[in-house]
Amino acid sequence: MPNLDIQKIRKDFPILNQQVYNKPLVYFDNGATTQKPLCVINEEIKIYSHENSNIHRGVHYLSEQLTQRYEDARKVVQKFIKASYDHEVIFTSGTTESINTIAFSFGEKYVNEGDEIIISTLEHHANIVPWQMLCERKKAILKVIPINEKGELLLDEYKKLISPKTKIVAVNQVSNALGTVNDVKTMIDIAHQTNIPVLIDGAQSVQHGKIDVQELDCDFYVFSGHKVYGPNGIGVLYGKEKWLNEMPPFMTGGEMIKKVTFGKTTFNELPFKFEAGTPNYVSAIGLATAIYYIQQLGLENIASYEKELLDYGTKKLQSIDGLKVIGTSENKVSVISFILENIHHFDAGMVIDKMGIAVRTGHHCAEPLMDRLNVEGTIRASFSFYNTKEEIDKLYEAILTVKQMFG
Ligand code: PMP
């Protein structure tokens, strides 16, 4: 039995308690975005109702109070990912902005013609395109770690890709399309043998278990608030102090400056150097509330219950004739990507939707991975701690209906 009271937890998520197409909603699209608990929703209402004011600028009561709460939220994130200092936590709009910031800023300073950047076949477009663009700007070379048939990175091949020209390694900790958990600790250790910094895309890992950036020793770690039960439009860029101090700012404008004259501008200290303009302070505080929420549930409890769902779901779905799970690593988070023999994933997705079940179909913003796996796309069910085995049974029944209709 799980250590979590799932029925009680579900009451915290009002959106789950509704019908679509006259069927109870089953939400299995948690990889795309997670739903928000009432405490997060209410926090935002409270701020806009009673506390709103632009931060860092005013000397008046509301501004001072909210500035404090924003900076407290930064400390919550710092403790959540176990960063050494709160100024190593930069608030961004999400993983995409975090990666673009690093690719631009780090790239501007350290990447030159002929240099190499390593990413992997498992990456989301957000961790491919910014590096590709950087390579175009700087005439650098993008190298890609290959995978095996199970959807796991080949670490021996990774080692061979590292060269004296390698400037940075950027990989995800968990693949959004397959759910594979990558051994990023080993990958970081390998890169650090020759002092190469490593960026970890944690968009699909922070919500599934404990993260310790100091233990990992990663140089950068990024994630999105909306995938960790927090609000949209907020994300995190963690960077080791020494890198963030050395890197030039990406966006410029208000807040990130120390002194501006028409002749010259000097930049503010960390973390403000990387937070140009009015930050999304409401969502930053909402993110801190979401972090409190999942910490109260316990990240170990979440991980073990989600593993239970993954094992149950995998066994159940694999029993369906003609269903093939794509991504079969033993080390996965609660994501099941699959295809159905002779049935297009869009057709399947449409029928499953009509049963009230939200799954994702398509390439999952990982087109090069789909090409490598020789599939056009997959159907992806991604489970959260608020999902149940009964809901998985409904997905199973829906797939049988799809087979009857198209098989
Ligand atoms: N990386 C990974 C692994 C992701 O799953 C996602 C979102 N699907 C992103 C990056 C981009 O995140 P966002 O859209 O929140 O910026």
Side-chain angles (χ1 to χ4, degrees):
M1 281 300 284
N3 285 330
L4 301 172
D5 183 344
I6 307 304
Q7 290 314 321
K8 184 161 170 273
I9 287 171
R10 285 178 70 86
K11 294 204 176 82
D12 294 336
F13 293 83
I15 200 168
L16 298 177
N17 184 24
Q18 66 174 302
Q19 305 230 326
V20 293
Y21 309 114
N22 292 321
K23 311 248 170 22
L25 169 70
V26 173
Y27 187 76
F28 282 161
D29 197 15
N30 296 289
T33 200
T34 52
Q35 301 302 348
K36 323 300 171 201
L38 267 173
C39 58
V40 171
I41 299 169
N42 288 338
E43 188 67 62
E44 296 216 331
I45 294 173
K46 185 171 139 237
I47 295 171
Y48 283 125
S49 306
H50 303 289
E51 304 174 12
N52 184 47
S53 176
N54 206 335
I55 58 167
H56 288 145
R57 294 159 200 233
V59 286
H60 58 81
Y61 178 83
L62 287 182
S63 178
E64 280 182 0
Q65 294 288 312
L66 210 56
T67 302
Q68 188 58 50
R69 295 201 63 206
Y70 178 68
E71 291 307 324
D72 288 347
R74 197 188 305 279
K75 290 194 178 77
V76 171
V77 175
Q78 176 206 346
K79 294 206 176 85
F80 177 54
I81 60 171
K82 304 209 166 40
S84 307
Y85 311 106
D86 59 353
H87 58 254
E88 292 178 321
V89 172
I90 314 288
F91 283 119
T92 64
S93 65
T95 304
T96 302
E97 187 182 305
S98 298
I99 298 175
N100 274 276
T101 300
I102 299 163
F104 197 91
S105 168
F106 181 93
E108 200 54 25
K109 175 128 186 181
Y110 298 106
V111 178
N112 294 305
E113 187 169 344
D115 284 342
E116 294 165 1
I117 290 158
I118 298 180
I119 59 169
S120 91
T121 309
L122 290 177
E123 299 316 309
H124 185 280
H125 295 164
N127 200 28
I128 301 174
V129 187
W131 303 111
Q132 235 168 18
M133 304 269 295
L134 170 65
C135 287
E136 271 177 35
R137 282 198 304 276
K138 295 285 189 141
K139 297 195 176 57
I141 299 149
L142 194 63
K143 292 190 161 182
V144 184
I145 309 164
I147 55 168
N148 62 18
E149 289 308 312
K150 290 174 157 182
E152 296 167 325
L153 295 181
L154 297 174
L155 291 194
D156 285 342
E157 298 299 318
Y158 164 60
K159 283 183 201 154
K160 288 186 211 154
L161 291 181
I162 291 184
S163 86
K165 288 274 180 195
T166 310
K167 283 291 145 85
I168 189 165
V169 175
V171 288
N172 62 39
Q173 188 166 19
V174 168
S175 151
N176 65 306
L178 309 183
T180 316
V181 179
N182 297 314
D183 182 4
V184 289
K185 176 72 190 132
T186 301
M187 297 177 78
I188 293 163
D189 289 347
I190 292 168
H192 282 180
Q193 281 166 17
T194 45
N195 298 323
I196 298 164
V198 182
L199 178 159
I200 301 300
D201 173 353
Q204 297 290 344
S205 39
V206 278
Q207 63 281 59
H208 295 295
K210 282 196 169 168
I211 300 300
D212 185 331
V213 291
Q214 288 188 72
E215 195 180 291
L216 281 177
D217 201 23
C218 53
D219 298 272
F220 302 100
Y221 192 95
V222 298
F223 66 95
S224 298
H226 72 97
K227 291 184 196 281
V228 59
Y229 308 95
N232 285 66
I234 191 77
V236 168
L237 183 181
Y238 157 81
K240 279 185 186 166
E241 184 188 50
K242 83 176 168 99
W243 291 114
L244 296 179
N245 270 332
E246 284 179 21
M247 282 158 45
F250 171 44
M251 298 242 283
T252 55
E255 280 304 305
M256 51 73 65
I257 47 86
K258 193 169 259 163
K259 171 100 185 117
V260 180
T261 67
F262 284 119
K264 188 172 167 56
T265 294
T266 51
F267 302 129
N268 206 339
E269 60 206 18
L270 292 177
F272 312 112
K273 184 172 104 176
F274 288 100
E275 292 183 358
T278 299
N280 190 348
Y281 47 84
V282 180
S283 295
I285 297 167
L287 172 59
T289 310
I291 289 172
Y292 273 136
Y293 180 83
I294 57 170
Q295 283 177 329
Q296 264 176 358
L297 297 182
L299 280 138
E300 286 100 347
N301 294 334
I302 290 174
S304 86
Y305 178 59
E306 288 180 347
K307 170 92 173 63
E308 219 177 289
L309 291 179
L310 174 70
D311 291 346
Y312 181 81
T314 305
K315 208 166 158 207
K316 186 112 195 171
L317 297 198
Q318 263 174 340
S319 71
I320 299 174
D321 210 28
L323 184 147
K324 184 175 175 206
V325 173
I326 307 290
T328 51
S329 174
E330 279 85 60
N331 212 355
K332 273 178 55 171
V333 299
S334 48
V335 168
I336 306 178
S337 233
F338 59 94
I339 52 172
L340 295 168
E341 200 178 14
N342 297 328
I343 303 173
H344 196 277
H345 51 270
F346 283 146
D347 293 334
M350 262 164 51
V351 176
I352 293 171
D353 170 51
K354 292 289 181 295
M355 314 266 174
I357 304 171
V359 289
R360 183 139 296 233
T361 56
H363 55 59
H364 315 295
C365 292
E367 279 191 83
L369 172 61
M370 298 294 123
D371 289 346
R372 160 63 184 83
L373 295 168
N374 269 322
V375 293
E376 211 185 296
T378 72
I379 304 156
R380 182 188 71 184
S382 45
F383 310 132
S384 155
F385 54 76
Y386 45 57
N387 291 127
T388 64
K389 289 180 184 164
E390 291 71 35
E391 289 181 313
I392 294 175
D393 292 344
K394 285 185 186 164
L395 175 61
Y396 170 85
E397 294 298 332
I399 298 170
L400 294 186
T401 308
V402 169
K403 275 179 50 100
Q404 259 172 16
M405 287 175 76
F406 296 101

